[in-house]
């Protein structure tokens, strides 16, 4: 089959690899119909050291089950399924708490001999606990939105939930990437009263407005903080969703949080330390968030996607074939594409 492998910064290749097969009774093999390039994939694209062996890549995919292990129940060959961005058994104590990302049997796509999602097919470990059946046809127009349940929309929801967003909440979202826009949509879905989006790419922030942002602040740093505080009577907002991952974004998040408020960070952190000293302590600002256990949210979010109440798939602004994947990475790295959808 054809599969995407990254060999170092800027070096993404689509090449022939062995076809996946069931290796353990708990496995399934899924033929991929749609996959995607994620902002976190760009971290490898920007900084991965050169490697002779390379690394399989991609962690968002929808597909059809083609082979299934003898220990897998509740699924069958021919089912259309979505996979969260980490696999998990869905039975351990962590999974029972909704923390599937800490599953003792789980792991990341592309590592430890597991296929990456930017491929023609994927061997899925812990298939019964990982895969979620989709009640639509293989050619449904909803596939892009359903694919966001694997990562970005569920991650935006995680940011909103852990920040305590609900009816009447004032919310700041930092970042106009796919996760930030998804966080706007998630906050609106949960009943947020007023959402401010901090982002400077007009095409993206316009989609943010359509998703529910009432205001957009394009300024960064101190200028952006001052602008937001002016708009909130000097108070800041009760919930801040940090969807970038840089130290500057985290500093901004704390600066625009209302005293007693909550900062939820879901951007992959690119810093080893953060500003969590006396000022944050004195202001009683809570820091939460973390890697999103998307498997815990898929069934909850799916009905609103199926009904059309939310359309998170609008974050995809470019669709390409699998062979064009290197071009997709370049487009996202150069900020000429927001999020790329792949059709193997």
């Amino acid at each position: 089959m054809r599969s995407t492998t990254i060999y170092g910064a800027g070096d993404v290749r689509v090449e022939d690899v062995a076809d996946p097969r069931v290796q353990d009774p708990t496995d399934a093999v899924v033929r991929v119909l749609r996959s995607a390039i994620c902002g976190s994939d760009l971290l490898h694209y920007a900084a991965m050291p050169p490697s002779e062996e390379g690394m399989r890549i991609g962690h968002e995919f929808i597909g059809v089950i083609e082979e299934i292990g003898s220990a897998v129940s509740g699924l069958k060959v021919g089912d259309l399924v979505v996979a969260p961005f980490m696999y998990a058994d869905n039975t351990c104590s962590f999974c029972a708490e909704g923390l599937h990302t800490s599953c003792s049997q789980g792991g990341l796509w592309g590592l430890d001999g597991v296929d990456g999602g930017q491929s023609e097919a994927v061997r899925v470990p812990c298939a019964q606990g990982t895969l979620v059946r989709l009640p639509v046809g293989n050619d449904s127009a909803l596939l892009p939105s359903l694919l966001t349940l694997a990562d970005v929309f569920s991650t935006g929801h995680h940011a909103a939930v852990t920040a305590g967003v609900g009816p009447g909440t004032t919310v700041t979202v930092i970042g106009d990437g796919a996760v930030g826009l998804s966080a706007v949509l998630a906050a609106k879905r949960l009943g947020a009263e007023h959402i401010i989006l901090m982002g400077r790419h007009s095409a993206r922030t316009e989609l943010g407005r359509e998703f529910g942002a009432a205001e957009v602040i394009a300024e960064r740093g101190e200028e952006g903080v001052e602008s937001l505080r002016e708009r909130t009577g000097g108070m800041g907002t009760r919930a801040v969703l940090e969807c970038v991952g840089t130290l500057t974004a985290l500093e901004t998040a704390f600066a625009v949080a209302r005293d007693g408020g909550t900062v939820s960070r879901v951007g992959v952190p690119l810093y080893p330390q953060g500003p969590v000293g006396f000022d944050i302590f004195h202001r009683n600002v809570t820091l939460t968030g973390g890697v999103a256990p998307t498997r815990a949210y898929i069934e909850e979010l799916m009905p609103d996607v199926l009904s059309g109440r939310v359309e998170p798939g609008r974050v995809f602004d470019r669709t390409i074939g699998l062979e064009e994947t290197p071009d997709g990475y370049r487009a996202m790295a150069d900020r000429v594409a927001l999020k790329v959808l792949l059709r193997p």
Side-chain angles (χ1 to χ4, degrees):
M1 71 167 181
R2 302 290 282 172
S3 182
T4 304
T5 303
I6 184 167
Y7 285 86
D11 187 2
V12 171
R13 311 175 197 175
V14 181
E15 54 192 7
D16 291 322
V17 299
D19 291 340
R21 59 180 179 81
V22 168
Q23 298 178 15
D24 298 309
T26 53
D27 288 349
V29 173
V30 172
R31 175 172 53 87
V32 176
L33 297 182
R34 301 289 188 278
S35 59
I37 301 173
C38 182
S40 60
D41 294 331
L42 296 183
L43 300 179
H44 299 293
Y45 188 73
M48 178 180 167
S51 167
E52 291 186 2
E53 295 183 357
M55 179 181 74
R56 301 283 185 87
I57 196 164
H59 54 258
E60 305 159 278
F61 63 93
I62 279 176
V64 176
I65 296 177
E66 289 199 328
E67 186 180 357
I68 201 162
S70 60
V72 179
S73 62
L75 296 167
K76 65 182 185 303
V77 171
D79 280 348
L80 179 68
V81 292
V82 61
F85 73 80
M86 291 182 68
Y87 58 88
D89 63 19
N90 205 24
T91 60
C92 75
S93 60
F94 286 115
C95 290
E97 296 171 9
L99 198 61
H100 295 73
T101 48
S102 293
C103 176
S104 59
Q105 301 300 315
L108 291 163
W109 306 107
L111 299 180
D112 302 319
V114 178
D115 301 303
Q118 293 163 15
S119 304
E120 289 184 321
V122 176
R123 178 179 71 87
V124 178
C126 303
Q128 182 174 324
T130 298
L131 299 173
V132 179
R133 193 177 68 82
L134 300 173
V136 298
N138 295 356
D139 58 352
S140 171
L142 293 174
L143 292 189
S145 285
L146 291 167
L147 179 56
T148 68
L149 299 177
D151 191 345
V152 291
F153 185 44
S154 293
T155 295
H157 177 71
H158 181 64
V161 168
T162 54
V165 174
T169 312
T170 57
V171 182
T172 299
V173 176
I174 299 175
D176 57 12
V179 172
L181 297 178
S182 296
V184 171
L185 186 61
K188 187 66 175 179
R189 175 183 173 274
L190 291 172
E193 179 179 330
H194 193 81
I195 303 171
I196 301 172
L197 173 60
M198 301 189 77
R200 62 190 180 95
H201 301 89
S202 58
R204 300 180 180 192
T205 57
E206 183 57 35
L207 180 56
R209 287 186 185 275
E210 294 176 21
F211 276 178
E215 300 182 73
V216 171
I217 294 176
E219 298 85 357
R220 288 183 166 186
E222 288 299 323
E223 190 178 357
V225 171
E226 290 177 8
S227 178
L228 187 139
R229 286 198 164 269
E230 286 176 4
R231 300 179 193 213
T232 57
M235 304 293 286
T237 61
R238 293 192 180 277
V240 182
L241 315 184
E242 192 278 284
C243 303
V244 179
T246 64
L247 181 58
T248 299
L250 182 64
E251 291 170 342
T252 298
F254 281 129
V256 301
R258 179 187 176 101
D259 286 12
T262 300
V263 171
S264 177
R265 60 168 186 167
V266 294
V268 178
L270 303 177
Y271 48 86
Q273 296 177 327
V276 292
F278 181 77
D279 177 64
I280 304 306
F281 175 80
H282 177 70
R283 294 172 54 218
N284 280 289
V285 176
T286 297
L287 176 62
T288 185
V291 60
T294 60
R295 179 62 183 84
Y297 300 130
I298 291 176
E299 283 100 343
E300 175 185 352
L301 297 174
M302 190 190 304
D304 282 350
V305 173
L306 294 172
S307 71
R309 180 187 170 198
V310 294
E311 298 179 89
R314 294 178 65 192
V315 299
F316 292 107
D317 60 348
R318 183 170 298 194
T319 300
I320 61 177
L322 180 63
E323 297 297 328
E324 302 170 272
T325 301
D327 295 331
Y329 273 85
R330 282 189 288 271
M332 286 183 62
D334 293 341
R335 298 291 185 97
V336 297
L338 169 59
K339 188 168 178 66
V340 173
L341 182 70
L342 304 176
R343 298 186 63 160

